[in-house]
Amino acid sequence: MGTKGSSSLWRRKQVHHTRHGDIELAKHLRIADLVSIGIGSTVGAGVYVLVGTVARERAGPALTISFLIAGIAAALAALCYAELSSRCPSAGSAYHYAYTCVGEGVAWIIGWGLILEYTVGGSTVARGIAPNLGVFVGGEENLPWLLIRRTIPSTEIIVDPCAAFLVIIVTALLCVGIRESARVQAAMVVLNVLVLLFVAGAGSYAGSKNGWKGYEQPDGYMPYGINGVLGGAATLFFAYIGFDTVASTAEEVKNPQRDLPLGIALALFICGGLYILVSGVIVGLVPYNLMDPDTPMSTAFAENGMPWATYVVAAGAVAALATTLMGSLLPQPRILMAMARDGLLPPFFSTVHPKTSVPVNGTILAGAVAAIMAFMMNVDELSGMVSVGTLLAFTIVSVCLLVLRYIPPPDTSKPVFPSRTSEGLPVVPKSPSRPIFTSQYPIFSPVLTILSEASLHSLPGRSTYGDYASSASSIGSPLQDETEELEEETRVFEIPPSYSREDLQNPLLMLEQPTNLSGCCDGGWGLWASHCSLPHQPSSALSNKTMVNISSDNPEVSTAHGCQHFQLQAFS
């Protein structure tokens, strides 16, 4: 019993594993939708605060270098997500990858870790909406009575109705449909990006007037040294988290192999550019040791004679909070649905609404839990656990990529072909998605693919046999020597000019000259097939003009002058 239970912890599911009766999510998302989801989930209100905190305590004016280093590290993790999500386009994100590549036990831990991360992160973001809305009305105390924070008598619990109300609105929007919620998020992302561009543009104008006094410091560009820059990069790394939300929507993307890598890459590139641009401007307006750690942007503009910019920054912060909250609530029901499909949770969570194509049960439950936590719990102490869960998920995703490349799980959705024929000849399967042999192992990366051998089949003036031989020999494949031996041992018939390649229903068929014409045979049709329909005649009487008509059910060989014995080598 113990051995059986231990083996189940490392049980892996197939790449394209589905259960009978599962309803797939509707495919509505394109590259633009993925980019908006990625930017909205990444550029949160944290950037409006982290700029001042990291510059004041760690990096100083070298804040842009810290953002650059953190962006490079995030890009490596994003590439892992991009390749895994395009090769395994199913809901569940890191949970799905862990179950496919590592095992059920690790996937269980990763799944609940992600749910905790998104729930706590969403609750934390929601509790920051009230202070930013208070900027427009002169303070939190001037908000409507129903939205003001209160302390429960005889307790230390501070309830936040505004946070709970925001979570309920976002949950209702997610229940309407992924296409509608993506459009709303795109509008909020545009507002957020415009605010950040305003900060960069107006800050550059103010900096040019005051001479960029923030960079004229007696202790230099790196007051805390290289260790301070690297420490700041470690903190700023979490400002890039959000591309994993894009991976969680893989099942709803119309063309995941193309759109997911591009969407993740473009979103991360735009976020990194905005971070570096804004941080470079802000640290130049105010000396780093005089920055306000809570409201660095508003304070910087106020000290340069632009107090009205506080309202613009507050509007951007509200938009960033809304998009980040949506990015936190979006993946949770999809992870719950994936776990329910695999039998690790009740089928209640795998229910998909027939009209909206949304896992509505999981969405409502996740939103209710997040609303309760945002309403009456101070989740600041749990925020550190979010960082631990994120790093654990990124580590597992990196491991899964190596496993999927070199120790891939079984995939029953693709036919399995023998590697060699009974005569010992290599068999090359005809498959559009067959990887290019770049080393001893077939490695296929949707992110870095340059050329697919499937396109070589349609090149004019190339024989079928030559396509595989040239593609293998040009890259030093292990098939090169085997192909050369095959050319030496096999004499290939030349097809007469009057018969074009289109005359063959299957272009991957090679006619071999017979070595034994001692009788008539009616061999079976398989990888190698022989067929003879007429009485045997001497080889001198054989005609050079032969038409081959081949179908999967009844291969036929007809000739104008008697019988001709063919061996058909089929690569299919």
Side-chain angles (χ1 to χ4, degrees):
M1 182 68 180
T3 305
K4 185 177 180 180
S6 176
S7 61
S8 65
L9 294 177
W10 303 104
R11 179 174 53 204
R12 299 192 293 171
K13 69 177 181 180
Q14 299 160 0
V15 177
H16 300 278
H17 172 75
T18 55
R19 288 177 177 268
H20 179 70
D22 286 344
I23 301 177
E24 293 189 357
L25 303 179
K27 298 183 180 296
H28 293 307
L29 301 181
R30 300 179 181 273
I31 293 180
D33 301 318
L34 298 178
V35 172
S36 64
I37 291 175
I39 297 176
S41 303
T42 303
V43 182
V47 67
Y48 294 90
V49 179
L50 287 177
V51 169
T53 303
V54 176
R56 184 185 179 97
E57 300 177 0
R58 293 184 179 273
L63 181 64
T64 53
I65 305 299
S66 296
F67 265 116
L68 178 61
I69 296 174
I72 294 174
L76 298 177
L79 288 177
C80 296
Y81 269 95
E83 181 163 341
L84 284 171
S85 61
S86 59
R87 295 183 68 175
C88 308
S90 181
S93 187
Y95 159 79
H96 175 64
Y97 311 146
Y99 203 161
T100 302
C101 302
V102 181
E104 183 178 293
V106 176
W108 171 266
I109 297 174
I110 293 297
W112 285 110
L114 290 174
I115 293 173
L116 175 64
E117 170 193 344
Y118 291 127
T119 303
V120 174
S123 302
T124 305
V125 167
R127 289 183 73 92
I129 191 69
N132 287 279
L133 288 178
V135 174
F136 299 98
V137 294
E140 293 184 54
E141 63 278 0
N142 295 325
L143 289 172
W145 181 80
L146 291 176
L147 302 180
I148 298 177
R149 291 182 178 180
R150 293 177 178 84
T151 302
I152 298 179
S154 304
T155 65
E156 296 181 357
I157 299 177
I158 301 177
V159 296
D160 192 341
C162 184
F165 185 67
L166 179 62
V167 173
I168 293 174
I169 292 177
V170 172
T171 302
L173 179 62
L174 292 176
C175 290
V176 174
I178 184 64
R179 182 165 44 191
E180 291 75 13
S181 58
R183 290 174 180 173
V184 174
Q185 189 169 22
M188 303 298 287
V189 165
V190 170
L191 175 60
N192 191 14
V193 171
L194 290 177
V195 169
L196 292 178
L197 292 177
F198 164 80
V199 170
S204 299
Y205 173 76
S208 61
K209 291 181 63 176
N210 67 10
W212 299 103
K213 59 183 179 181
Y215 287 109
E216 299 175 357
Q217 298 299 313
D219 45 5
Y221 186 68
M222 296 184 183
Y224 299 99
I226 188 64
N227 291 332
V229 173
L230 295 178
T235 303
L236 295 173
F237 175 80
F238 296 98
Y240 287 93
I241 295 176
F243 50 81
D244 52 335
T245 302
V246 179
S248 67
T249 63
E251 191 173 318
E252 297 160 281
V253 180
K254 291 187 176 181
N255 188 355
Q257 281 73 25
R258 182 198 66 181
D259 294 350
L260 281 170
L262 289 176
I264 292 175
L266 287 175
L268 190 63
F269 179 79
I270 294 173
C271 293
L274 290 173
Y275 287 162
I276 294 175
L277 185 63
V278 170
S279 62
V281 170
I282 294 300
V283 296
L285 292 179
V286 181
Y288 73 92
N289 53 355
L290 299 179
M291 276 190 176
D292 189 335
D294 297 325
T295 57
M297 294 186 184
S298 302
T299 304
F301 282 111
E303 292 185 1
N304 286 271
M306 302 173 64
W308 53 269
T310 302
Y311 299 101
V312 179
V313 174
V318 171
L321 286 169
T323 57
T324 305
L325 177 60
M326 192 176 300
S328 297
L329 296 179
L330 177 65
Q332 292 185 61
R334 284 147 183 83
I335 296 173
L336 294 172
M337 182 188 67
M339 297 177 71
R341 286 177 175 178
D342 297 333
L344 301 181
L345 286 178
F348 171 82
F349 295 99
S350 63
T351 302
V352 177
H353 196 277
K355 292 185 178 180
T356 61
S357 299
V358 172
V360 62
N361 293 341
T363 302
I364 294 176
L365 182 61
V369 173
I372 293 173
M373 294 182 64
F375 177 71
M376 59 183 306
M377 293 181 63
N378 186 4
V379 294
D380 293 340
E381 291 78 8
L382 298 178
S383 300
M385 298 181 63
V386 176
S387 303
V388 176
T390 301
L391 293 178
L392 180 60
F394 285 4
T395 302
I396 291 298
V397 166
S398 302
V399 172
C400 289
L401 181 60
L402 296 176
V403 172
L404 192 62
R405 283 192 173 193
Y406 297 102
I407 317 175
D411 184 1
T412 58
S413 67
K414 298 179 181 179
V416 179
F417 301 97
S419 59
R420 288 181 177 271
T421 67
S422 58
E423 287 77 6
L425 297 176
V427 175
V428 181
K430 179 186 178 183
S431 173
S433 60
R434 186 173 63 84
I436 300 175
F437 289 86
T438 57
S439 64
Q440 183 180 0
Y441 303 98
I443 301 175
F444 173 68
S445 172
V447 182
L448 302 177
T449 297
I450 300 176
L451 177 65
S452 172
E453 287 187 1
S455 62
L456 296 176
H457 298 178
S458 59
L459 293 178
R462 302 283 299 275
S463 65
T464 302
Y465 187 86
D467 289 348
Y468 284 101
S470 61
S471 62
S473 60
S474 62
I475 54 181
S477 167
L479 293 179
Q480 180 178 0
D481 297 335
E482 298 172 347
T483 306
E484 293 175 353
E485 295 175 1
L486 183 62
E487 289 178 337
E488 295 175 358
E489 297 176 1
T490 306
R491 292 172 55 195
V492 182
F493 274 125
E494 294 291 335
I495 299 178
S498 59
Y499 301 106
S500 63
R501 184 173 178 173
E502 286 73 11
D503 292 335
L504 298 178
Q505 295 183 12
N506 188 345
L508 294 181
L509 285 172
M510 295 171 21
L511 298 105
E512 271 195 0
Q513 187 175 8
T515 57
N516 182 10
L517 300 176
S518 59
C520 177
C521 63
D522 190 5
W525 173 250
L527 202 59
W528 289 78
S530 301
H531 184 83
C532 181
S533 59
L534 297 176
H536 169 64
Q537 296 183 7
S539 59
S540 60
L542 296 179
S543 171
N544 291 329
K545 295 182 179 180
T546 303
M547 175 176 287
V548 181
N549 183 15
I550 300 170
S551 66
S552 59
D553 298 327
N554 185 23
E556 298 178 357
V557 179
S558 60
T559 178
H561 300 285
C563 167
Q564 186 164 354
H565 182 143
F566 288 95
Q567 285 183 331
L568 302 180
Q569 181 183 1
F571 300 96
S572 60

